[in-house]
């Protein structure tokens, strides 16, 4: 049954990839990465202070989508491989890297099988950007993949939407917790023809499935697979308007609650090191 959920999500992301990669200013606005050799994604720019110096680091970007963050990591000096389960996303990522003149490799694979298609223990840095973990049925399985990919002493860097945010129902008044905080065997089902950026057409593969998990479950999974938690930082912002009508866009491209921005965490960063 899980494979049916993943297949539905892949069909949805195949469509999103094509729309997000448009060169007409919609989607991710990818033409700017071609026109400006120093352009970085807002996500990677936010991450950069915590990432530190990644020049020369063998890096894999899991669930890389159309490669804007992957390209940005390469522009910070990393030797990057991007991986995504969507054929269209990988095609668009390769196209972007080629147009931008960047030496970035892209591999199509379900992230759960990443350690089967990439070299075992070969990476100094595993990077995962915002909005990735909610598409995975098991956080423990994912943590095992991360550990398999990292070389001893290698680092995981992840920034993700906070589990409290994923538990919110944006259609209800106030800040209302309505969806599971802890990981469940059965995912939440959604049916929506829109995406989180402006695009030129509605989606036709509209049904998707998502899983939440608590911050403690994420940390425990990493610890159980031999990673040491070096930093856990909660943020009061996210890089998309997660709660429409209740958020304000900041100058750095991040959205925060318009009222009482300190009342809840919206995202978090984890840095962890493989110690065994």
């Amino acid at each position: 049954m899980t494979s049916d959920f993943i297949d539905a999500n892949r069909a949805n992301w195949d469509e999103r990839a094509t729309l997000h990669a448009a060169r007409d200013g919609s989607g991710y606005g990818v033409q700017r990465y071609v026109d400006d050799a120093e352009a970085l994604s807002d996500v990677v720019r936010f991450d950069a202070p915590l990432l530190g110096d990644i020049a020369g680091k063998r890096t894999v970007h899991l669930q890389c989508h159309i490669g804007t963050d992957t390209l940005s990591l390469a522009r910070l000096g990393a030797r990057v491989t991007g991986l995504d389960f969507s054929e269209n996303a990988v095609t668009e990522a390769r196209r972007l890297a080629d147009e931008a003149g960047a030496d970035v490799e892209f591999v199509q694979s379900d992230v759960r099988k990443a350690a089967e298609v990439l070299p075992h223990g070969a990476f100094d840095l595993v990077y995962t950007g915002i909005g990735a973990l909610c598409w995975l049925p098991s956080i423990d399985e994912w943590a095992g993949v991360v550990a398999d990919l990292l070389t001893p002493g290698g680092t995981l860097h992840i920034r993700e939407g906070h589990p409290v945010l994923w538990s919110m129902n944006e259609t209800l008044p106030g800040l209302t917790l309505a969806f599971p905080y802890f990981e469940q065997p059965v995912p939440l089902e959604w049916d929506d023809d829109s995406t989180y950026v402006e695009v030129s057409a509605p989606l036709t593969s509209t049904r998707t499935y998502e899983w939440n998990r608590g911050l403690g479950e994420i940390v425990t999974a990493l610890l159980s697979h031999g990673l040491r938690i070096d930093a856990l930082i909660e943020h009061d912002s996210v890089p998309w308007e997660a709660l429409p009508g209740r958020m304000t866009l900041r100058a750095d491209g991040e959205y925060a609650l318009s009222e009482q921005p300190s009342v809840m965490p919206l995202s978090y960063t984890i840095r962890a090191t493989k110690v065994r």
Side-chain angles (χ1 to χ4, degrees):
M1 189 65 176
T2 298
S3 62
D4 293 337
F5 301 145
I6 301 298
D7 288 345
N9 288 344
R10 183 183 293 107
N12 178 269
W13 281 98
D14 276 342
E15 286 193 37
R16 290 201 209 198
T18 301
L19 293 169
H20 289 175
R23 300 307 199 263
D24 61 2
S26 65
Y28 276 36
V30 297
Q31 189 62 40
R32 68 188 178 99
Y33 298 99
V34 179
D35 296 339
D36 181 358
E38 296 183 357
L40 299 178
S41 67
D42 289 340
V43 170
V44 169
R45 185 179 294 107
F46 183 98
D47 288 341
L50 289 172
L51 271 172
D53 184 6
I54 61 173
K57 287 192 175 182
R58 299 165 299 173
T59 300
V60 59
H61 177 193
L62 300 179
Q63 295 167 270
C64 68
H65 192 37
I66 61 172
T68 53
D69 295 340
T70 324
L71 173 62
S72 299
L73 294 171
R75 287 180 170 175
L76 294 179
R79 296 154 49 197
V80 194
T81 298
L83 179 142
D84 199 89
F85 75 157
S86 163
E87 180 179 4
N88 289 1
V90 170
T91 296
E92 294 293 352
R94 288 171 176 160
R95 175 188 172 200
L96 175 60
D98 182 64
E99 292 178 1
D103 183 16
V104 183
E105 178 186 9
F106 291 96
V107 176
Q108 182 187 352
S109 172
D110 187 317
V111 68
R112 297 174 298 166
K113 298 184 181 299
E116 299 175 19
V117 300
L118 296 173
H120 189 279
F123 295 96
D124 305 306
L125 173 65
V126 170
Y127 177 90
T128 297
I130 202 93
L133 295 191
C134 61
W135 304 103
L136 304 177
S138 168
I139 195 62
D140 185 74
E141 182 180 32
W142 169 83
V145 170
V146 169
D148 285 343
L149 292 172
L150 283 172
T151 190
T155 300
L156 165 70
H157 180 104
I158 176 171
R159 183 177 179 226
E160 183 55 277
H162 201 284
V164 171
L165 175 61
W166 297 132
S167 300
M168 305 289 296
N169 186 334
E170 66 187 59
T171 68
L172 298 178
L175 299 176
T176 305
L177 295 173
F179 303 121
Y181 177 86
F182 299 107
E183 187 174 279
Q184 304 294 313
V186 178
L188 291 172
E189 179 179 328
W190 306 100
D191 196 349
D192 189 352
D193 67 358
S194 65
T195 179
Y196 48 87
V197 292
E198 181 183 347
V199 293
S200 61
L203 301 171
T204 59
S205 296
T206 59
R207 200 173 298 272
T208 57
Y209 301 88
E210 298 180 33
W211 294 261
N212 197 15
R213 62 267 312 171
L215 204 53
E217 291 175 306
I218 297 165
V219 168
T220 298
L222 294 171
L223 292 172
S224 70
H225 286 279
L227 276 75
R228 180 189 70 225
I229 306 300
D230 299 315
L232 170 55
I233 303 168
E234 295 172 296
H235 309 288
D236 67 354
S237 65
V238 288
W240 83 100
E241 193 177 7
L243 299 170
R246 305 176 197 179
M247 308 191 84
T248 298
L249 178 62
R250 293 175 171 172
D252 61 358
E254 293 276 309
Y255 286 87
L257 290 174
S258 301
E259 299 180 9
Q260 294 184 289
S262 63
V263 76
M264 63 176 284
L266 299 179
S267 62
Y268 65 90
T269 297
I270 291 176
R271 283 185 59 84
T273 301
K274 181 178 178 178
V275 295
R276 68 172 192 266

